[in-house]
Amino acid sequence: MGDTVNADDTAKDRSVLRVGVVGVGNISGQYLQAIPRLTNLKVTAIADLDAERAAKAAAEVPGARSVKPDELYAAEDVDLVLNLTIPAAHAEVAQLAIAGGKHVYGEKPLAATTAEARVVLESAERAGVRVGCAPDTVLGTGIQTARAVLDAGDIGVPVAATAFMVTPGHERWHPAPEFYYRPGGGPLLDMGPYYLTALITLLGPVKRVVGMSSTPRPTRVVGSGPRAGTEFGVEVETHVTGVLEHEGGALSTLVMSFEVWAGQLPRIEVYGTGGSLEVPDPNGFDGEVSIFRAEAKEWEQVPESGGYRDASRGYGVSDLARALGEGVPHRANGQLAFHVLDVMESLLAAAKSGESVTVGSTCERPAAVPAAARPEVR
């Protein structure tokens, strides 16, 4: 995992943001592997409702200890709470962290509803702390290189985009998949944040949506682990499609589905007045970017021209720590995450009503990550 920061030194050096992790689920391993490489972060405490699981995770992170969740929120050696709980608990955990005077960075979505998310942001503003939220995949070289192409005008004025995420469902591999099919889950709220955050990073905020949705299968079956074969009910839409009107005028077509066994659709493509752009998987940090220019006869690969190199989950937290020290906005911020959640909620409302829905929020397009940028990495 690389060198570690001595706990006493960390307490003295406030350029290092001390992180307390709440929730030791599947995604936590990626954060706990990355954070020890980031010199402006230090994991000091880990908590989970399963104390044994928290202790096991803490034993693998030098300098970290396992604690109860309530102890973590009050801990003097925790500056930021990394909220890796299930979506239904995101808002509650964020509120507890903020009440303890901590900054908070959470897995997506920011909350199960915009009503809950709004309270989180308002509480953070009153407390004078920051809110960050995944995905930070858009900070990597893949999406940032694509953004650099668009910002340079290399495909002219963006006219439209497509974004597709299709899969049969996560129950095939996840040993406890029920939360994916309960409020706060579904393909849109689970995977939509990656695609919508990328589209907003590329094309700007969304002002209006139309959509349709369905739930073809009322039940699912756990496909792996000790509970394999267990049937459970589906409470959310499992296929969602819509059109997003960006404030700049571009129209994005979005398909998010847990109902497709196989597909050969592009992850994201952007179409402009002077060409087209192929964008890599927004659930990853890198990947090839290709451009087709109006005067060309074939696609050509774009050289890396933006983004944090060799990034992984946790770089959004490091970017928050950097921005906090510099007194500037961080990129994976609460306002962006709120707008993404608002777009998703509006899309589901449009699908239910059969009418277009105006998105009530907006956000600033986060600052681009320059080419060859790196946070302080060991």
Side-chain angles (χ1 to χ4, degrees):
M1 289 187 175
D3 299 332
T4 59
V5 178
N6 181 278
D8 291 336
D9 292 340
T10 302
K12 298 172 185 177
D13 182 6
R14 299 320 300 272
S15 66
V16 176
L17 201 65
R18 300 169 298 179
V19 178
V21 179
V22 179
V24 188
N26 279 5
I27 197 66
S28 64
Q30 296 183 43
Y31 282 94
L32 293 176
Q33 288 176 10
I35 288 177
R37 297 190 292 112
L38 300 165
T39 59
N40 60 357
L41 301 178
K42 168 67 178 175
V43 176
T44 55
I46 299 177
D48 192 276
L49 293 177
D50 184 333
E52 183 177 345
R53 188 160 61 174
K56 182 178 179 181
E60 297 177 358
V61 180
R65 69 190 190 285
S66 62
V67 296
K68 296 179 181 179
D70 287 348
E71 295 172 338
L72 186 145
Y73 305 134
E76 293 185 358
D77 64 343
V78 170
D79 304 309
L80 176 143
V81 171
L82 177 55
N83 180 3
L84 305 182
T85 58
I86 62 173
H90 284 181
E92 179 184 0
V93 170
Q95 287 283 67
L96 290 168
I98 292 166
K102 319 298 185 190
H103 305 291
V104 62
Y105 183 100
E107 257 302 318
K108 47 73 189 170
L110 180 59
T113 66
T114 53
E116 292 180 352
R118 185 174 290 106
V119 173
V120 169
L121 295 182
E122 290 173 349
S123 297
E125 185 174 4
R126 287 194 298 270
V129 298
R130 296 202 182 198
V131 175
C133 187
D136 54 4
T137 48
V138 295
L139 305 182
T141 55
I143 301 300
Q144 290 294 320
T145 293
R147 172 172 177 165
V149 171
L150 292 173
D151 288 352
D154 290 347
I155 66 166
V157 177
V159 173
T162 54
F164 299 99
M165 191 296 301
V166 295
T167 173
H170 296 343
E171 73 276 9
R172 293 183 306 154
W173 56 269
H174 199 291
E178 286 88 344
F179 72 94
Y180 287 115
Y181 296 90
R182 291 173 180 163
L188 183 60
L189 267 74
D190 174 48
M191 296 299 294
Y194 296 107
Y195 290 77
L196 288 167
T197 304
L199 288 171
I200 292 166
T201 296
L202 296 172
L203 301 173
V206 176
K207 69 176 183 179
R208 188 165 63 104
V209 300
V210 295
M212 298 186 76
S213 64
S214 65
T215 308
R217 290 181 279 169
T219 62
R220 298 279 175 137
V221 177
V222 179
S224 66
R227 298 175 55 247
T230 303
E231 188 175 70
F232 61 93
V234 175
E235 303 175 25
V236 295
E237 295 87 344
T238 51
H239 184 94
V240 182
T241 184
V243 178
L244 323 173
E245 181 184 6
H246 294 266
E247 290 182 4
L251 302 178
S252 291
T253 300
L254 184 76
V255 176
M256 301 282 113
S257 183
F258 284 170
E259 298 290 350
V260 178
W261 287 103
Q264 299 186 59
L265 302 166
R267 297 291 188 176
I268 296 179
E269 287 184 349
V270 181
Y271 314 112
T273 55
S276 298
L277 186 67
E278 186 176 15
V279 182
D281 185 355
N283 193 16
F285 287 84
D286 51 18
E288 293 184 0
V289 177
S290 297
I291 187 172
F292 189 99
R293 304 175 193 271
E295 67 276 9
K297 294 184 179 180
E298 59 184 19
W299 290 87
E300 52 186 281
Q301 188 174 337
V302 178
E304 178 187 300
S305 49
Y308 288 128
R309 288 179 176 171
D310 304 318
S312 56
R313 283 173 170 83
Y315 271 56
V317 188
S318 180
D319 184 79
L320 187 156
R322 172 204 57 81
L324 191 63
E326 296 175 4
V328 299
H330 55 289
R331 293 180 173 94
N333 60 68
Q335 288 71 31
L336 171 60
F338 181 90
H339 183 58
V340 167
L341 180 59
D342 196 9
V343 171
M344 294 190 294
E345 213 172 66
S346 298
L347 184 53
L348 292 175
K352 185 175 182 179
S353 69
E355 300 177 352
S356 67
V357 171
T358 298
V359 180
S361 67
T362 188
C363 68
E364 294 292 328
R365 191 173 175 228
V369 181
R374 295 179 70 94
E376 297 181 48
V377 180
R378 293 186 184 88

